[in-house]
Amino acid sequence: MPFYHQLGKIPHKRHTTFKKEDGSYHYEELFGTIGFDGMSSLMYHVQRPTQVKEILGRKSVAPKISEKNNIKSYRLKGFQVAPEKDFLDSRKIVLTNSDCNIILASPQQSTEDYFYKNTDADEVIFIHKGTGKLRTMMGNLDFKYGDYLVIPRGMIYKMDFDTEDNRLFIVESYRPIYTPKKYRNWFGQLLEHSPYCERDIRIPYELETYDEKGDFLIKIKKQDELIEMVYAQHPFSVAGWDGYNFPYAFSIHDFEPITGRVHLPPPIHQTFETDAFVICSFVPRLYDYHPESIPAPYNHSNIDSDEVLYYVDGDFMSRNDIEPGHISLHPAGIPHGPHPGAMERSIGKTETEELAVMVDTFKPLMVTEEAMKIADDSYYKSWLED
Ligand SMILES: [Fe+2]
C-alpha cells in the first residue's frame, strides 16, 4: 500500500537493539518487494523467522490446460465449482497466463492445522459469499461480502470462515498489485477524482504475537508447487512492524462510480492495476444522462487484451442468461458486445444495480480443464439473432 502504517511495538530507530521484557532481543526482518526498490516493511519477531526444521514434501498445483490458444468466448458457471473442505484444495484455477491465475473457490473450513504463504504472487481475494477473518503475520482483517483482500506475496496467512457457505473469486498476480497510477499524485496519495481514497482502505489490526516453539506447518506456493515446510517457531511471531508493505481490505461497496452524459469506457471502473492486467469494479450507478444516450456498451474489440467479467449481483443489462457467480471470457482479437435485444432494452433506463468484477489481461488467457467442467460451450454463438 502506498502509505505508511505501524502496528504493535517497534524500536525508536530501525536496525538498533530492541529488547523484550525478559531482556532478550527481538529479531528484525525486512519484508520487501522488487529487491530493495519496492515497498517494504520492517517486522520485529519474538522468535527468529528463519528456523526451518523440515521440508516434508511437495506437490504440483500447476493448472492443467485445456485450450492454450483460445479464440472462443466462454461463459463459466462459477457456482458449479464444488465446495471443498480445505481452503487450498478448494482453489480451482480456471484461467491462466504467465502473469496471473484466475481462481474460483468454495472452501468450507477455516485453515486450522497449517499456515499458507504464496511466495510468487500477490493475491486478491474477492469475497462473494461468506464472512470471517483473514489472519496474517502482520495483523488481522475482518471480511464480508464485497471485500477485496489484497495480500502481498510472502505474507503468511490463514483464512477463518464463520460458516461453510463461502464463494471466493481470486486473482493470483505475479506482478505487484497497486492502486491505479492515474489516481495517485507524485507522493502516492489518492487524488480527489479517485473513486476511492485511503479512508476506504482497511488496514490490519489485532496483531497476534506468539512466542512459541514447536512444529508449525507452512504450505508454501512456489513455482506452481505447494511445498510443505515445518518451522520451529510460531509463524505469527511479530510483536510490531511499520512500513508500506502490508495486507489490506477494500470493499467494492465503497467504490464510488464515475458517470457521464454518454457511455464511459471500462477504465472509469478501474480499481487496481499491475503492468500485466487491471481489475475493475462495476457497481450500482446512474446511467448516462444525454437524452439520446445508449447505456449498454457498444460492441468492442479487445484487440490486445482478454476480458474476464465475474458477475456478483444485480441485473446484468448487456448480457442474457447471466447469473451471479458466472464468468464471461471475451478473448482478444474478436469483437463482442451486448446480446441481441440488450442495447434496445437499455435505452431510457436511468440506473443499474449491477455488481461485477472485471479482470482485463494484456496477454491471452489459457482455459483450464477445471474451467471446462463448468463451461457453457455454446456461449460463443450467443450473439446470433434468431
Ligand atoms: Fe467487454
Side-chain angles (χ1 to χ4, degrees):
M1 248 342 281
F3 60 79
Y4 175 85
H5 185 51
Q6 176 191 326
L7 197 61
K9 296 176 291 183
I10 57 172
H12 177 61
K13 292 287 282 183
R14 59 185 175 181
H15 321 320
T16 59
T17 57
F18 178 34
K19 287 186 175 174
K20 296 187 269 187
E21 280 180 7
D22 66 4
S24 61
Y25 292 108
H26 288 90
Y27 303 99
E28 189 180 49
E29 178 194 0
L30 179 76
F31 185 69
T33 56
I34 318 177
F36 287 82
D37 277 349
M39 284 186 278
S40 66
S41 293
L42 284 168
M43 297 189 274
Y44 296 88
H45 295 269
V46 294
Q47 296 273 345
R48 289 179 204 280
T50 47
Q51 300 176 60
V52 177
K53 222 170 173 178
E54 295 286 349
I55 299 175
L56 294 181
R58 59 181 71 209
K59 69 171 184 181
S60 172
V61 287
K64 295 191 174 77
I65 306 303
S66 178
E67 285 204 49
K68 192 174 179 200
N69 184 12
N70 177 50
I71 193 74
K72 262 187 187 173
S73 294
Y74 273 104
R75 175 173 60 162
L76 309 179
K77 297 178 177 178
F79 283 4
Q80 288 186 3
V81 167
E84 288 194 39
K85 288 195 172 84
D86 178 66
F87 171 61
L88 295 181
D89 291 343
S90 76
R91 294 163 58 125
K92 307 299 180 195
I93 298 174
V94 290
L95 301 166
T96 183
N97 66 21
S98 57
D99 297 317
C100 65
N101 292 318
I102 293 175
I103 297 168
L104 292 167
S106 183
Q108 293 174 306
Q109 291 182 351
S110 303
T111 38
E112 294 287 347
D113 52 356
Y114 67 90
F115 299 79
Y116 173 59
K117 173 161 86 169
N118 191 330
T119 60
D120 294 328
D122 291 4
E123 294 188 353
V124 175
I125 302 178
F126 178 78
I127 310 294
H128 193 165
K129 272 190 181 183
T131 58
K133 187 175 283 191
L134 168 68
R135 295 171 57 200
T136 84
M137 65 199 294
M138 297 180 84
N140 298 337
L141 285 159
D142 299 321
F143 62 78
K144 60 181 182 305
Y145 166 56
D147 282 343
Y148 293 102
L149 303 173
V150 182
I151 305 171
R153 66 202 60 198
M155 181 61 44
I156 301 172
Y157 76 86
K158 286 184 159 204
M159 291 288 277
D160 279 7
F161 298 104
D162 294 334
T163 73
E164 291 195 346
D165 188 17
N166 305 292
R167 290 280 172 187
L168 312 176
F169 175 76
I170 303 171
V171 183
E172 272 181 76
S173 174
Y174 301 115
R175 322 297 305 168
I177 291 171
Y178 300 129
T179 54
K181 191 167 186 301
K182 65 184 176 182
Y183 293 133
R184 280 186 266 123
N185 68 17
W186 56 93
F187 298 106
Q189 184 179 11
L190 290 164
L191 291 160
E192 281 292 308
H193 68 286
S194 171
Y196 62 95
C197 73
E198 287 79 2
R199 199 179 299 183
D200 298 312
I201 289 168
R202 285 155 30 220
I203 47 192
Y205 77 108
E206 197 179 63
L207 186 62
E208 294 185 55
T209 311
Y210 295 91
D211 195 352
E212 286 179 22
K213 292 207 164 209
D215 293 312
F216 299 95
L217 177 63
I218 308 183
K219 297 187 179 183
I220 297 176
K221 187 165 184 195
K222 184 178 169 79
Q223 299 285 302
D224 281 338
E225 286 189 323
L226 209 53
I227 303 164
E228 296 196 345
M229 295 181 73
V230 179
Y231 274 78
Q233 84 288 351
H234 195 294
F236 292 173
S237 65
V238 177
W241 61 268
D242 76 335
Y244 282 58
N245 193 24
F246 53 85
Y248 64 94
F250 170 68
S251 172
I252 196 170
H253 305 301
D254 285 329
F255 186 92
E256 294 302 327
I258 297 168
T259 59
R261 219 164 87 90
V262 293
H263 189 83
L264 294 173
I268 57 141
H269 305 285
Q270 194 183 339
T271 311
F272 303 110
E273 75 183 7
T274 73
D275 58 11
F277 66 88
V278 296
I279 297 177
C280 299
S281 303
F282 287 76
V283 301
R285 62 194 181 278
L286 295 178
Y287 271 143
D288 324 323
Y289 49 90
H290 185 289
E292 304 292 328
S293 69
I294 300 174
Y298 30 75
N299 298 301
H300 47 287
S301 288
N302 313 344
I303 299 292
D304 50 10
S305 67
D306 275 25
E307 179 195 285
V308 176
L309 253 175
Y310 179 74
Y311 299 89
V312 181
D313 210 345
D315 178 38
F316 306 109
M317 162 268 298
S318 62
R319 308 253 87 85
N320 302 335
D321 301 327
I322 286 284
E323 295 171 14
H326 284 189
I327 285 176
S328 64
L329 168 66
H330 300 133
I334 58 170
H336 67 276
H339 277 138
M343 181 198 83
E344 294 82 350
R345 261 199 325 266
S346 77
I347 295 169
K349 293 265 171 61
T350 56
E351 59 186 320
T352 176
E353 291 298 314
E354 73 181 2
L355 196 66
V357 176
M358 187 170 82
V359 182
D360 269 15
T361 65
F362 303 139
K363 283 186 200 152
L365 289 160
M366 295 177 278
V367 184
T368 69
E369 291 180 7
E370 290 293 343
M372 295 311 285
K373 293 178 187 171
I374 56 167
D376 169 4
D377 204 22
S378 63
Y379 177 75
Y380 74 104
K381 293 182 178 176
S382 62
W383 287 269
L384 285 174
E385 294 181 356
D386 293 332

